[in-house]
Amino acid sequence: MAYTPAGHALAGWLTSGRPGKGAVLLLHGVRADRTQMLARARFLNRSGYATLLIDLPAHGESAGDRITFGAREAAGVVTALDFLRREFPGEPVGVIGVSLGAASTVLAAPTPPPDAVILESMYPTIDDAVANRLTSRLGAWGAYLAPPLLWQFPLRADVHVSQLRPVEAVHRLGSPVLIMGGTQDPSTPWAETERIFAAASQPKELWRVEGAGHVDLHAFGPAAYEDTVLRFLARHMPAR
C-alpha cells in the first residue's frame, strides 16, 4: 500500500513480469475498482509486462471521501507511477486508463511522463460528460438540467468545473498516446473522441471501435483490443 502526498492510502495489486519488458499501470473507470482491469492485467502479464492495478482515491479500498472525476484521483496516478519506477528502476512504464482513469492520467500531467499512454472513452470536459449522460437517460430535456447540476458541482465534489477539462490538458501529456473510443458511445460520442485526438500532441494514434458503446472495450472485442494495445506498447516501450 502506498500513500498520496495528502496522506491518503492507495490500495493496489502488483504483478511482476519479464525483467526489462516494462510495467503498465491500469486505471479503472468511475465507481469501479481495480478488478475492472483484471482481464487487461492477465493478457499484459502473459506478454511479459509487470502490471499495477490500483483503486483510485475514493474507490474500492483506497482512501478518499468523495469522487472528483479526475481532479483528486490524479494524485493516485502520480503516486502509483512513482511506486512503479521504484519497483522497476530503469524499465519503461506505460498507463492504460479507462474513462475516469484516463481523465485522471491527463489531469495528473505526471513528470517524467510515461513512455506510453492509452486513453479509453475519456470525456473532453465535465460539462460535456454531464450533458451527454443526462441526454442519454432523459432525452432532449436532459440538456436543460445540465447547467443547474454543474452549478452545484463545486458544492458536491469540492472542485470547480474548470479543473475538469482533459481536452485542454491532453497536449501537455508528453507521452506517445493511443486514444480509443466506441462509435456508439452515448456518454462520450465519437466526435468528442476525435476532438480529444485533435488536441493531443504527436506521436499519437486513434482507434475507432466500431459498434461499441460506453463499455469495456477489451471485453467488447478482446482479440482486436489486445493486438492494438500490444503493438502500441511494443512500439513505444521496447524491452531493455
Side-chain angles (χ1 to χ4, degrees), residues 9 31-32 55-60 62-68 73:
R31 297 185 179 88
D55 292 337
L56 286 162
H59 290 77
S62 290
D65 60 353
R66 66 187 71 190
I67 295 171
T68 62
E73 292 82 355

mmCIF file of all heavy atoms in Angstrom, residues 9 31-32 55-60 62-68 73:
data_model
loop_
_atom_site.group_PDB
_atom_site.id
_atom_site.type_symbol
_atom_site.label_atom_id
_atom_site.label_comp_id
_atom_site.label_asym_id
_atom_site.label_seq_id
_atom_site.Cartn_x
_atom_site.Cartn_y
_atom_site.Cartn_z
ATOM 1 N N ALA A 9 -4.250 6.594 1.829
ATOM 2 C CA ALA A 9 -3.795 5.258 1.467
ATOM 3 C C ALA A 9 -4.321 4.874 0.092
ATOM 4 O O ALA A 9 -5.479 5.114 -0.249
ATOM 5 C CB ALA A 9 -4.264 4.252 2.510
ATOM 6 N N ARG A 31 -16.629 4.811 -10.188
ATOM 7 C CA ARG A 31 -17.425 3.942 -9.320
ATOM 8 C C ARG A 31 -17.118 2.460 -9.554
ATOM 9 O O ARG A 31 -17.937 1.596 -9.221
ATOM 10 C CB ARG A 31 -18.926 4.217 -9.468
ATOM 11 C CG ARG A 31 -19.305 5.631 -9.040
ATOM 12 C CD ARG A 31 -20.806 5.893 -9.074
ATOM 13 N NE ARG A 31 -21.072 7.252 -8.629
ATOM 14 C CZ ARG A 31 -21.087 8.311 -9.438
ATOM 15 N NH1 ARG A 31 -20.863 8.170 -10.738
ATOM 16 N NH2 ARG A 31 -21.329 9.522 -8.961
ATOM 17 N N ALA A 32 -15.954 2.173 -10.086
ATOM 18 C CA ALA A 32 -15.481 0.793 -10.215
ATOM 19 C C ALA A 32 -14.287 0.622 -9.280
ATOM 20 O O ALA A 32 -14.079 1.428 -8.367
ATOM 21 C CB ALA A 32 -15.114 0.496 -11.666
ATOM 22 N N ASP A 55 -6.842 0.897 -6.879
ATOM 23 C CA ASP A 55 -8.133 1.560 -6.656
ATOM 24 C C ASP A 55 -7.837 3.051 -6.585
ATOM 25 O O ASP A 55 -7.064 3.500 -5.730
ATOM 26 C CB ASP A 55 -8.757 1.113 -5.335
ATOM 27 C CG ASP A 55 -9.200 -0.339 -5.353
ATOM 28 O OD1 ASP A 55 -9.432 -0.888 -6.445
ATOM 29 O OD2 ASP A 55 -9.303 -0.938 -4.251
ATOM 30 N N LEU A 56 -8.399 3.811 -7.491
ATOM 31 C CA LEU A 56 -8.204 5.256 -7.459
ATOM 32 C C LEU A 56 -8.755 5.837 -6.149
ATOM 33 O O LEU A 56 -9.618 5.217 -5.507
ATOM 34 C CB LEU A 56 -8.883 5.907 -8.661
ATOM 35 C CG LEU A 56 -8.170 5.692 -9.997
ATOM 36 C CD1 LEU A 56 -9.106 5.983 -11.170
ATOM 37 C CD2 LEU A 56 -6.916 6.550 -10.079
ATOM 38 N N PRO A 57 -8.263 7.001 -5.725
ATOM 39 C CA PRO A 57 -8.783 7.605 -4.495
ATOM 40 C C PRO A 57 -10.312 7.665 -4.467
ATOM 41 O O PRO A 57 -10.955 7.959 -5.471
ATOM 42 C CB PRO A 57 -8.161 9.009 -4.529
ATOM 43 C CG PRO A 57 -6.860 8.803 -5.233
ATOM 44 C CD PRO A 57 -7.165 7.792 -6.317
ATOM 45 N N ALA A 58 -10.869 7.353 -3.297
ATOM 46 C CA ALA A 58 -12.322 7.327 -3.065
ATOM 47 C C ALA A 58 -13.012 6.189 -3.810
ATOM 48 O O ALA A 58 -14.219 6.229 -4.027
ATOM 49 C CB ALA A 58 -12.973 8.666 -3.402
ATOM 50 N N HIS A 59 -12.258 5.170 -4.203
ATOM 51 C CA HIS A 59 -12.807 3.988 -4.859
ATOM 52 C C HIS A 59 -12.236 2.741 -4.186
ATOM 53 O O HIS A 59 -11.097 2.746 -3.707
ATOM 54 C CB HIS A 59 -12.452 3.962 -6.344
ATOM 55 C CG HIS A 59 -13.134 4.992 -7.164
ATOM 56 N ND1 HIS A 59 -12.747 6.319 -7.169
ATOM 57 C CD2 HIS A 59 -14.181 4.910 -8.028
ATOM 58 C CE1 HIS A 59 -13.531 6.997 -7.990
ATOM 59 N NE2 HIS A 59 -14.400 6.168 -8.527
ATOM 60 N N GLY A 60 -12.998 1.654 -4.202
ATOM 61 C CA GLY A 60 -12.505 0.388 -3.682
ATOM 62 C C GLY A 60 -11.971 0.521 -2.271
ATOM 63 O O GLY A 60 -12.629 1.067 -1.387
ATOM 64 N N SER A 62 -9.152 2.173 -1.494
ATOM 65 C CA SER A 62 -8.330 3.377 -1.327
ATOM 66 C C SER A 62 -9.090 4.449 -0.561
ATOM 67 O O SER A 62 -10.320 4.554 -0.654
ATOM 68 C CB SER A 62 -7.895 3.918 -2.686
ATOM 69 O OG SER A 62 -6.958 3.054 -3.288
ATOM 70 N N ALA A 63 -8.349 5.258 0.171
ATOM 71 C CA ALA A 63 -8.962 6.305 0.987
ATOM 72 C C ALA A 63 -9.467 7.449 0.114
ATOM 73 O O ALA A 63 -9.038 7.635 -1.024
ATOM 74 C CB ALA A 63 -7.946 6.827 1.998
ATOM 75 N N GLY A 64 -10.355 8.229 0.686
ATOM 76 C CA GLY A 64 -10.920 9.386 -0.002
ATOM 77 C C GLY A 64 -12.392 9.509 0.316
ATOM 78 O O GLY A 64 -13.093 8.492 0.400
ATOM 79 N N ASP A 65 -12.862 10.746 0.477
ATOM 80 C CA ASP A 65 -14.242 10.934 0.923
ATOM 81 C C ASP A 65 -15.211 11.279 -0.187
ATOM 82 O O ASP A 65 -16.418 11.293 0.018
ATOM 83 C CB ASP A 65 -14.304 12.011 2.015
ATOM 84 C CG ASP A 65 -13.780 13.357 1.536
ATOM 85 O OD1 ASP A 65 -13.248 13.434 0.407
ATOM 86 O OD2 ASP A 65 -13.902 14.332 2.303
ATOM 87 N N ARG A 66 -14.702 11.580 -1.392
ATOM 88 C CA ARG A 66 -15.622 11.905 -2.484
ATOM 89 C C ARG A 66 -14.954 11.710 -3.835
ATOM 90 O O ARG A 66 -13.742 11.854 -3.970
ATOM 91 C CB ARG A 66 -16.152 13.331 -2.349
ATOM 92 C CG ARG A 66 -15.119 14.418 -2.520
ATOM 93 C CD ARG A 66 -15.703 15.791 -2.191
ATOM 94 N NE ARG A 66 -15.941 15.942 -0.773
ATOM 95 C CZ ARG A 66 -16.621 16.951 -0.236
ATOM 96 N NH1 ARG A 66 -17.140 17.886 -1.001
ATOM 97 N NH2 ARG A 66 -16.773 17.044 1.073
ATOM 98 N N ILE A 67 -15.768 11.381 -4.822
ATOM 99 C CA ILE A 67 -15.299 11.234 -6.197
ATOM 100 C C ILE A 67 -15.227 12.621 -6.831
ATOM 101 O O ILE A 67 -16.174 13.412 -6.722
ATOM 102 C CB ILE A 67 -16.255 10.327 -6.991
ATOM 103 C CG1 ILE A 67 -16.220 8.909 -6.413
ATOM 104 C CG2 ILE A 67 -15.905 10.312 -8.477
ATOM 105 C CD1 ILE A 67 -17.289 7.990 -6.978
ATOM 106 N N THR A 68 -14.103 12.923 -7.477
ATOM 107 C CA THR A 68 -13.921 14.257 -8.068
ATOM 108 C C THR A 68 -13.664 14.198 -9.572
ATOM 109 O O THR A 68 -13.211 15.161 -10.159
ATOM 110 C CB THR A 68 -12.768 15.006 -7.376
ATOM 111 O OG1 THR A 68 -11.543 14.288 -7.582
ATOM 112 C CG2 THR A 68 -13.025 15.153 -5.878
ATOM 113 N N GLU A 73 -8.238 12.318 -8.008
ATOM 114 C CA GLU A 73 -7.780 10.989 -8.400
ATOM 115 C C GLU A 73 -6.417 11.067 -9.090
ATOM 116 O O GLU A 73 -5.642 10.105 -9.076
ATOM 117 C CB GLU A 73 -8.801 10.330 -9.324
ATOM 118 C CG GLU A 73 -10.124 9.955 -8.672
ATOM 119 C CD GLU A 73 -11.111 11.111 -8.567
ATOM 120 O OE1 GLU A 73 -10.746 12.258 -8.926
ATOM 121 O OE2 GLU A 73 -12.248 10.865 -8.145
#
